[in-house]
Structures are given as structure tokens and as C-alpha cells.
Amino acid sequence: MDAAAFDYPALLERVARDVAPLTGSGTPAEYIPALASVDPRQFGMAVADLDGNVFGVGDWQVPFSTQSITKVFTLALALAQGGDSLWERVGREPSGNPFNSLVQLEYENGVPRNPFINAGALVVTDRLQTLTGDASSELLDFLRQESGNPDLGFDAEVAASEQENGHRNAAVAHFMASYGNIDNPVPALLEHYFWQCSIEMSCADLARAGRFLARHGLRADGSRLLTRSEAKQINAVMLTCGTYDAAGEFAYRVGLPGKSGVGGGIVAVVPGQCTLAVWSPGLDAQGNSVAGVAALDRFTTLTGLSVF
Ligand code: GLN
């Protein structure tokens, strides 16, 4: 379908109206105290097309805590810089378990199911740390360049809050280290992981930053980050694993590769067409934004845009 065929501003207004009854439902993440105090009634959505246009509705320019959405970008950087050997250390199968679960790790010998659960993301960050010497700064620089927003930064309060309450992530990292699947010292790795999760971005920033996935691996400046095949692979893993143990339901309702975070944001990709970002802090039991998933569902239903 031709990109010009869609009136994105009108579509976004319609979607926002349709999901308005849902904004405020669900609960903001409570296990990270700095996130628990966010007003759950906020809602924003943005679309970035491949001609450089960005359209938005509601709170689309309000920065929020990106959390696990950053796992997509670290995966892209680790694959771009280190290649396929990453897949010897992390799998590509849906986990069917919560994002911070420990249970599978023991009977699968410390190799996480996929890069989008916390265990898998810790392995990817460990790899990026080995490759670059400063994983979280590498990620932030990349996000600044791709979003065109030089003011993006870490949220020190959120990072500290995660560090203080990060026993489970620390346990996961130490457990994998005991199987030889972590190369860097665990405390340093956790620090980079928490900084990474704390990066604040708006829907506009995220939609822009994710465009390399819709452009089959090409960055904002036209240079190539990923091969076409690698971009396809990341989109595939987002579709099957990007929304944790709700990935099946997300694929059923939205029909796009997507990655959520417990800050209430979700990025979704329409390969060859556009990138979508949505944010509303109220989460469902699996840690995905209630109004966010509903908005993407509505958007793909109204437009027919889907990978299926
Ligand atoms: N920082 C969060 C954690 O590690 C990220 C989880 C998420 O967004 N699903 O627990």
C-alpha cells in the first residue's frame, strides 16, 4: 500500500478517541518505585514514516522511561558489531514466562530463551560491553543520533531505584555467570543494564529511533547498521518475544513486531512503511501497556497495516 494513502494525523486522532476509555486502566510498574508515581492517565502515540515525517497525538512529546524497549536497540548494536556468535549465548524462542523469571535458566544451563527477557538482555549488554567498553554510552549515543534528539539522557533516579530493588536481575546475572555465560564483572554489567533501562524518550523520539527496523537496516544518515537479513531477524524476534508471555496475544491483536517496556511504552514496526510508538503507563499482568496495546490494535485494524 502507498504511504501517501494514509492520513496519519486523522488516524491518530481517531485511535486516541477510541482508546480514551482505557487510558488510566492497568497499573504502573510498582516494583521500581520511581515508576510507580507516574500519572497513569497519560497517553501518547506517534508514527514516523520513511520520508522523515513524524505525526503524533496526545502526550507524544512527553519523555518517559523506556525500560525494556531499549533491549531492541542493544540487540541491534551487539549484532551489528559482534555478528552471529551472539546466538551461541542467547536463544530466539518465546519464553512463555514472565520477563524476570529465573525458572527456565537452570534447566537450560544458563542460556536465556531470547534477548528480550531480562536474562537475555543482560547477556546482550554483556556482549556489547565487551565489544565497546561502555555499553550504556554506546546505546545513548546511538539513540541520540537516530532520534535526532541530542538531549536524550539517563534518568539517574530511575537507575538508582532499579539498582536498589534489583535483586532479581542481580540473581539472574550471577546465575548466568556461574554457567560462564557472562564475561564482565556482574556489578559493572548491572550498572550498564540499569542505566540502559533508565533512558528517557518520548513517542516521537522512539518512533524516529526505530526507523532502521522499518528501513531494513538503514540508519537515519543512510548508512547501513544491519544487513537486510539481520533487520528481518530482529523484527521476527520482536514479533515472537517482544511482549513477553503475551507475545501470542500481541501478534494476534496487532500483527506487527513490537517491543514493550514497563514504563508503559511500546515500539512497533511496519517494515518498509513506518514505525509506531505508543505510551500509556497503566500495565496489564504481563507488563504491557493496556491502552498502548489497544491503540496499536486499533491502528492496524483501521489501516490494514500488518506483516500478515
Ligand atoms: N528495568 C526493568 C527490569 O529489569 C525492565 C523490565 C521491563 O521493562 N520489562 O526489571
Side-chain angles (χ1 to χ4, degrees), residues 244-291:
Y244 321 114
D245 43 340
E249 181 69 9
F250 186 85
Y252 173 85
R253 290 181 62 189
V254 177
L256 292 175
K259 182 74 205 85
S260 60
V262 292
I266 308 174
V267 166
V269 183
V270 190
Q273 177 94 24
C274 63
T275 309
L276 307 166
V278 64
W279 171 58
S280 195
L283 307 179
D284 61 22
Q286 284 80 31
N288 300 310
S289 168
V290 174

Side-chain angles (χ1 to χ4, degrees), residues 53-237:
N53 303 305
V54 184
F55 308 96
V57 69
D59 301 312
W60 66 296
Q61 286 166 309
V62 177
F64 60 89
S65 194
T66 52
Q67 293 295 319
S68 279
I69 297 174
T70 55
K71 294 177 166 85
V72 175
F73 299 99
T74 15
L75 174 63
L77 291 174
L79 273 181
Q81 298 189 29
D84 260 8
S85 59
L86 178 70
W87 298 118
E88 289 158 22
R89 300 176 47 169
V90 58
R92 303 186 289 255
E93 290 296 339
S95 68
N97 276 301
F99 60 81
N100 55 6
S101 170
L102 269 150
V103 291
Q104 264 165 356
L105 267 183
E106 180 159 24
Y107 59 81
E108 296 184 355
N109 302 319
V111 177
R113 271 291 171 104
N114 69 65
F116 295 149
I117 51 174
N118 289 7
L122 284 160
V123 166
V124 176
T125 301
D126 179 60
R127 187 91 192 99
L128 190 61
Q129 178 66 13
T130 303
L131 288 164
T132 66
D134 191 346
S136 49
S137 301
E138 186 79 13
L139 173 66
L140 184 59
D141 284 349
F142 176 76
L143 292 172
R144 284 177 174 163
Q145 285 169 30
E146 295 307 294
S147 66
N149 182 355
D151 298 329
L152 294 186
F154 303 115
D155 182 326
E157 190 200 339
V158 169
S161 183
E162 291 212 54
Q163 185 87 47
E164 271 161 42
N165 299 278
H167 302 300
R168 195 176 280 249
N169 285 318
V172 166
H174 280 292
F175 196 62
M176 293 190 296
S178 79
Y179 284 97
N181 202 14
I182 295 292
D183 294 332
N184 293 280
V186 167
L189 167 61
L190 288 170
E191 224 166 279
H192 281 283
Y193 174 79
F194 292 136
W195 282 119
Q196 164 188 327
C197 291
S198 83
I199 293 175
E200 283 209 305
M201 294 172 79
S202 66
C203 290
D205 297 325
L206 273 169
R208 283 195 182 96
R211 272 178 307 188
F212 68 95
L213 288 169
R215 280 202 211 97
H216 307 294
L218 290 183
R219 295 186 61 164
D221 64 3
S223 65
R224 186 164 282 287
L225 176 71
L226 303 168
T227 64
R228 198 177 168 104
S229 171
E230 286 167 339
K232 178 200 72 181
Q233 290 161 353
I234 294 183
N235 279 318
V237 180

